[in-house]
Amino acid sequence: MTFAELKSKKNSIPREEREEKGTSLVFVLSTSLIFLLALSIRLWFAFFDGHETIIFSCDASEYLRCAQSLSQVMISSWAHLPELVQYWLGLLPAEKASELHHLFEPLKGLATQAGPTFPAFLLVSYLICGSLISAENGFAPVLLQSILTSLSCVLIAYTGTRCWNLKAGLLAGLLAAVYPG
């Protein structure tokens, strides 16, 4: 089948039927089961499998250190909020500006080495779980990552359903749920 034939076939399906894909009760229940299956597999592997965690490895410890630095800067920047606003508006004297630069010095390594994305994710995960950022407490980021990757299985099922059909979408979501990587 050529591309033009596929496109004309897609356009021959009424818009209402195309918009209903991915919103049926069967789809919602199936994707809920896919989410629960994916989450249970990920949580089992992360916490009950007995494999050794690598939270003390080089990269992991570096990301934790960067998340701690980010947390310290965020806490101390709240105390200097009026000065930060004055700085952004260009109203802060030069000698006070150098003090603010010193305040953000711990972020220099974050900007030049690791990048802010994963340390920020670690910080948010620890804040959501209400725990301290430490290598001994690796539960929070692993739990949040397990939830996010399980949600990605649902998004894969939704995309497959929207692009092809319900059977293809659910199969793709199920394969993503049991994929070990």
Side-chain angles (χ1 to χ4, degrees), residues 22-32 154 157-158 161 166 169-170:
T23 57
S24 68
L25 181 62
V26 172
F27 177 78
V28 171
L29 290 175
S30 300
T31 54
S32 298
V154 173
Y158 179 75
T161 300
L166 181 65
L170 294 179

Side-chain angles (χ1 to χ4, degrees), residues 107-125:
L107 295 182
K108 189 174 187 179
L110 181 68
T112 58
Q113 293 175 349
T117 307
F118 195 66
F121 169 79
L122 289 174
L123 178 62
V124 167
S125 65

